[in-house]
Amino acid sequence: MGLFRKKTVTPEPSVLPQHVGIIMDGNGRWAKKRGLPRKAGHAAGAQTFRTIAKYCEKRGIACLTVYAFSTENWRRPADEVTAIMNLLRDYLKESLSDFKQENIRVRFIGDRTPLADDLQRLMQEAEESTAHKTGMQLNIAVNYGGREEILHSVRRLAKRVADGELSPDALREEDIGGGLYTADQPELDLILRPSGEYRLSNFLLWQSAYAEYVFMDVLWPDFKPHDLDRALEEYAGRHRRFGGV
Ligand code: FPP
């Protein structure tokens, strides 16, 4: 536990974010810099994801959400989409045994209905086999879009209104939040985006209302546990006001 002794690098647990979101960006550029196909960048990114997810658990992060594939990523060339889906498939197969050693509970967020049947089955298996875990909650966003997620929640509420169960005037923010994939989880505290881009890209739109952002100039495949520590340190120094003073 040497890392926890380095007081200058590692914040006290009380200022640890409970829920961290990561936009795993920069895989394509990482590959390009090396003259490799983009899918090689995603493969390297998937390795980084494995390392950082386990590291977050060790650091005591209660909940981690990673953006693996957005509703907009279908616009990429078919071979790149296939490569990302294959990486996900590999990870799921491997994780079914790996998860046994980890105290991580996994959930997939996003609309999984257009995904291959075997992938959907593996996702369900991973969720079911880790449902009893008490450690970190890991959300993997696949075919996820923040707007789609809000729309999905609002549509369900609209049906209840149409059925006369709910009055439009009685609708509260919690009703919308309660219909999201992350409804039972802590609020998002910190969003990390490596690769030097300063965008949210339709990630956790509702949940990020009061989140702190940390943008980092490192490409995701190069992202190391040390970079996570740096982000946590930056977060620990922020003064969160939630609209107050
Ligand atoms: C964004 O980088 C990255 C993605 C769209 C895919 C992220 C997917 C992985 C890291 C693998 C997922 C696998 C598992 C096991 C969760 P980019 O391609 O947009 O990079 P660029 O901006 O440099 O082109």
Side-chain angles (χ1 to χ4, degrees):
M1 302 297 272
L3 269 169
F4 288 89
R5 273 187 233 117
K6 283 202 256 168
K7 275 239 157 89
T8 51
V9 173
T10 308
E12 295 298 327
S14 61
V15 286
L16 264 187
Q18 281 210 82
H19 190 164
V20 176
I22 303 184
I23 301 176
M24 305 186 289
D25 195 15
N27 298 344
R29 277 163 284 165
W30 183 92
K32 192 172 178 198
K33 265 171 58 181
R34 287 163 178 75
L36 296 169
R38 292 179 59 82
K39 62 183 179 187
H42 295 310
Q47 279 308 120
T48 300
F49 156 72
R50 284 172 173 83
T51 306
I52 296 300
K54 288 181 185 177
Y55 186 65
C56 283
E57 212 280 323
K58 283 197 183 69
R59 283 299 323 262
I61 302 294
C63 187
L64 169 70
T65 303
V66 294
Y67 209 1
F69 193 85
S70 74
T71 44
E72 290 74 33
N73 285 153
W74 297 105
R75 294 185 197 138
R76 295 186 177 216
D79 65 328
E80 185 173 341
V81 171
T82 305
I84 295 175
M85 294 300 161
N86 284 339
L87 286 166
L88 198 59
R89 186 175 281 110
D90 290 347
Y91 172 69
L92 277 164
K93 285 182 181 160
E94 164 199 315
S95 68
L96 286 174
S97 60
D98 194 30
F99 278 158
K100 291 200 174 83
Q101 288 127 52
E102 303 292 326
N103 196 13
I104 294 177
R105 197 165 53 251
V106 71
R107 178 183 298 177
F108 289 87
I109 65 169
D111 176 12
R112 59 183 89 174
T113 51
L115 306 180
D117 288 345
D118 72 305
L119 209 48
Q120 292 189 45
R121 270 196 304 277
L122 284 165
M123 287 170 157
Q124 194 179 341
E125 232 179 295
E127 288 175 340
E128 286 171 0
S129 68
T130 61
H132 63 287
K133 300 280 184 171
T134 55
M136 185 178 79
Q137 170 71 50
L138 169 64
N139 302 317
I140 303 178
V142 180
N143 193 29
Y144 171 88
R147 288 182 175 180
E148 189 272 341
E149 182 184 33
I150 295 168
L151 178 64
H152 178 78
S153 176
V154 168
R155 194 176 279 138
R156 286 205 335 210
L157 293 169
K159 282 190 182 132
R160 289 181 58 200
V161 169
D163 290 346
E165 280 175 36
L166 200 62
S167 146
D169 293 329
L171 273 178
R172 301 156 310 151
E173 289 186 3
E174 298 82 63
D175 295 318
I176 296 179
L180 305 180
Y181 297 113
T182 56
D184 52 337
Q185 299 177 4
E187 285 283 304
L188 192 71
D189 297 305
L190 169 64
I191 292 197
L192 271 180
R193 184 163 192 157
S195 95
E197 304 285 352
Y198 304 93
R199 283 189 292 277
L200 189 53
S201 302
N202 205 12
F203 185 51
L204 301 177
L205 291 183
W206 183 273
Q207 299 90 330
S208 63
Y210 289 102
E212 296 291 325
Y213 289 71
V214 173
F215 297 105
M216 303 178 88
D217 229 345
V218 52
L219 301 174
W220 176 248
D222 291 327
F223 194 94
K224 298 282 183 294
H226 165 74
D227 296 304
L228 188 92
D229 284 336
R230 281 200 297 140
L232 294 179
E233 188 184 20
E234 161 105 29
Y235 173 85
R238 299 271 176 95
H239 176 45
R240 299 182 79 193
R241 294 199 299 273
F242 298 97
V245 288

